[in-house]
């Protein structure tokens, strides 16, 4: 069973209200995972944990946050589809071992989990969940090293794939990023406190000042002696995930030392130059297409209009009608503004097409609302390959672009025209000429590392 972990992590050390700050941080990272959330704090005598399925606001109450006392905390928000909604897979994981209590939370997917897990089980290890994170904790506990810090270094030399980690013990907080730096992780300061977050939008909410990224391959240790960096693995080229900028991260975040709004807008501008359209309106598919649509409108000169309105309060638990309403799943989330669309030639902008099923319903919806023409523009290249590093993409046979031409996709979607951003334009938007600085595997199959079975 493949576990996909699209997640957000946040940590703080030291702060008198560590768990409340972490709660706020997770709130800002809710878009990175809506299935489960958890916080582990460093209480006066022991590490304290609370985690459950649900949104951050539902998982924690003032009482649970009071119980998570102490001056340091790490937290996690988790998204999982492929692996199912398994409560035991919520983070952080808290264990008691050779180094006392150790808590860990993880964003990303390891690519050699199965090999490591099999070996560890043969050695007598037991696991309580299918999570990658338990494997890392087991490796830490079984390391030859005498200190937790050295044991983490040893463990990080054995794991492969994508990980942005936060680790908390009774004396230290650590942050680590895999040598390719697939998933983001940054460092900020809040007074004397050190703050870690997947995205900088969480720093803004707690009032922390952004300092820098944790470098690919860096292990940063913070304790009573201060802050120091180690590099367990060297000589590997960084390949941060371009899809963070295409879709996953919030546009108000600074990710991989770049503004997400800035790169997305540029993707839209380049898309307009590559695939212009004679239209009356530029309409984003909210929220994923908004930033690119702004760029598209800027470059093509047609007005940007919110022709589709999104209901932001759709949870995962809405009750579907028993008798089928056509396109119900999309209708509950998006509704067209008929007055705007009627009789108009429209460019619809979205960031990506995965299966094509949602996009098809949206095109239909805009046509039924009276649009004269619907031209679809996608601010990334065709998604032709699945991700092994933590973005939840279905297997290849379900990716419409893996086995259909652009013209076949256009026909399936019912759009009057369809244009995807080229890989070269995406590289330009990322200020990555030549395309060596990021992982573009979902668009070209050039996987920096393959999973081991
Ligand atoms: P579809 O037409 O069914 O392929 O859906 C396309 C929509 O899915 C676009 O609006 C994308 O923003 C969105 N999308 C892309 N990647 C993901 C992902 N990993 N998880 C959830 N939604 C995604």
């Amino acid at each position: 069973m493949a576990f996909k972990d699209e997640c957000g992590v946040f940590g703080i050390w030291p702060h008198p209200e560590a768990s409340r700050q972490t709660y706020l941080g997770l709130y800002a990272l809710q878009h990175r995972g809506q299935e489960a959330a958890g916080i582990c704090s460093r209480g006066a005598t022991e590490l304290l944990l609370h985690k459950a399925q649900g949104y951050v606001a539902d998982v924690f109450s003032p009482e649970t946050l009071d119980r998570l006392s102490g001056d340091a905390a790490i937290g996690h928000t988790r998204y999982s589809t492929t692996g199912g909604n398994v409560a035991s897979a919520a983070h952080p994981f808290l264990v008691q071992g050779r180094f006392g209590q150790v808590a860990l939370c993880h964003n990303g997917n390891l690519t050699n989990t199965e090999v490591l897990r099999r070996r560890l089980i043969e050695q007598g290890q037991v696991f309580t969940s299918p999570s990658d994170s338990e494997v890392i904790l087991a490796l830490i506990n079984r390391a030859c090293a005498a200190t937790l810090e050295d044991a983490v270094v040893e463990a990080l030399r054995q794991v492969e794939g994508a990980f942005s980690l936060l680790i908390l013990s009774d004396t230290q907080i650590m942050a680590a990023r895999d040598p390719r730096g697939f998933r983001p992780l940054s460092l900020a300061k809040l007074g004397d406190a050190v703050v870690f977050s997947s995205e900088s939008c969480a720093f803004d909410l707690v009032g922390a000042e952004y300092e820098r990224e944790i470098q690919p391959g860096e292990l940063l240790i913070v304790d009573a002696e201060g802050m120091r960096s180690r590099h367990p693995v060297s000589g590997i080229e960084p390949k941060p995930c371009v899809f963070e900028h295409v879709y996953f991260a919030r546009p108000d975040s600074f990710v991989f030392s770049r503004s997400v709004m800035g790169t997305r807008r540029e993707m839209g501008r380049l898309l307009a130059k590559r695939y212009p359209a004679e239209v009356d309106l530029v309409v984003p598919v909210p929220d994923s297409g908004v930033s690119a649509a702004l760029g598209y409108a800027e470059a093509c000169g047609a007005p940007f209009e919110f022709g589709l309105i999104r209901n932001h309060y759709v949870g995962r638990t809405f009750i579907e009608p028993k008798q089928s309403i056509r396109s119900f799943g999309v209708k509950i989330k998006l509704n067209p503004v008929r007055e705007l669309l009627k009789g108009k030639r429209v460019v619809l902008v979205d960031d990506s097409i995965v299966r094509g099923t949602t996009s098809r319903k949206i095109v239909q919806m805009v046509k039924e609302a009276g649009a004269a023409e619907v031209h679809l523009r996608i601010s990334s290249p065709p998604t032709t390959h699945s991700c092994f590093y933590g973005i939840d993409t279905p297997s290849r046979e379900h990716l419409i672009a893996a086995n259909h031409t652009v013209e076949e996709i256009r026909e399936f979607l019912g759009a009057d025209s369809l244009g995807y951003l080229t890989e070269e334009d995406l590289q330009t938007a990322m200020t990555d000429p030549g395309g060596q600085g990021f992982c573009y595997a979902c668009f070209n199959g050039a996987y920096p590392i393959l999973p081991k079975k």
Side-chain angles (χ1 to χ4, degrees), residues 333-390:
K333 201 168 154 191
L334 295 176
N335 198 34
V337 185
R338 286 183 181 76
E339 287 67 21
L340 276 176
L341 299 170
K342 209 166 161 220
K344 298 284 173 28
R345 297 167 302 167
V346 172
V347 156
L348 256 185
V349 182
D350 204 355
D351 70 292
S352 58
I353 300 174
V354 183
R355 291 181 164 87
T357 46
T358 311
S359 310
R360 183 186 197 184
K361 288 172 187 167
I362 293 171
V363 170
Q364 228 170 19
M365 181 184 268
V366 173
K367 286 214 153 167
E368 279 170 15
E373 294 170 21
V374 178
H375 302 271
L376 187 61
R377 296 292 179 270
I378 302 297
S379 61
S380 67
T383 308
T384 51
H385 289 75
S386 303
C387 179
F388 300 125
Y389 316 120

Side-chain angles (χ1 to χ4, degrees), residues 34 81 131 151 176-177 179 201 217 250 255 263 283 294 304 310 381 416:
Q34 300 91 42
T81 51
S131 170
R177 237 173 121 201
C201 60
R250 254 171 59 164
V255 166
T263 53
V283 171
L294 282 167
F304 172 99
R310 177 172 166 192
D416 293 289

Side-chain angles (χ1 to χ4, degrees), residues 112-324:
N112 64 341
T113 317
E114 291 317 312
V115 178
L116 293 171
R117 186 194 302 277
R118 248 194 333 267
R119 197 187 79 205
L120 287 160
I121 289 173
E122 276 161 22
Q123 290 170 354
Q125 183 71 38
V126 291
F127 292 99
T128 63
S129 79
S131 170
D132 297 3
S133 317
E134 271 201 282
V135 171
I136 304 174
L137 282 165
L139 291 172
I140 292 171
N141 196 55
R142 285 169 177 269
C144 302
T147 64
L148 175 62
E149 181 180 325
D150 288 341
V152 169
V153 168
E154 240 181 274
L156 296 187
R157 288 190 175 135
Q158 297 172 72
V159 293
E160 293 174 1
F163 55 85
S164 283
L165 296 176
L166 293 179
I167 297 172
L168 182 69
S169 75
D170 65 342
T171 56
Q172 292 173 316
I173 190 169
M174 300 185 205
R177 237 173 121 201
D178 67 83
R180 293 174 185 84
F182 283 114
R183 299 280 142 246
L185 186 59
S186 292
L187 167 72
K189 287 280 176 65
L190 177 60
D192 292 333
V194 176
V195 188
F196 299 104
S197 174
S198 298
E199 290 183 35
S200 65
C201 60
F203 298 147
D204 298 337
L205 183 56
V206 302
E209 203 154 313
Y210 176 88
E211 292 244 314
R212 67 171 178 90
E213 277 193 278
I214 307 301
Q215 295 306 312
E218 180 180 5
L219 167 66
L220 190 79
I221 304 114
V222 185
D223 58 19
E225 279 154 39
M227 196 152 84
R228 60 195 171 278
S229 283
R230 297 181 63 174
H231 294 83
V233 181
S234 56
I236 294 179
E237 227 185 305
K239 295 280 177 191
C241 165
V242 75
F243 209 68
E244 291 275 349
H245 271 264
V246 167
Y247 166 76
F248 202 44
R250 254 171 59 164
D252 52 336
S253 282
F254 210 66
V255 166
F256 308 140
S257 308
R258 288 160 172 78
S259 149
V260 177
M261 173 62 96
T263 53
R264 268 184 209 164
R265 230 171 149 131
E266 185 61 11
M267 289 170 206
R269 279 188 214 110
L270 295 168
L271 186 59
K273 285 181 192 148
R274 183 78 57 179
Y275 292 108
E278 280 276 313
V279 289
D280 307 305
L281 296 177
V282 177
V283 171
V285 174
D287 294 327
S288 51
V290 172
S291 314
L294 282 167
Y296 195 100
E298 222 170 271
C300 87
F304 172 99
E305 291 283 1
F306 277 109
L308 288 165
I309 299 300
R310 177 172 166 192
N311 181 337
H312 282 98
Y313 308 99
V314 182
R316 282 174 177 261
T317 49
F318 67 81
I319 300 154
E320 291 207 29
K322 284 200 172 146
Q323 285 187 344
S324 80

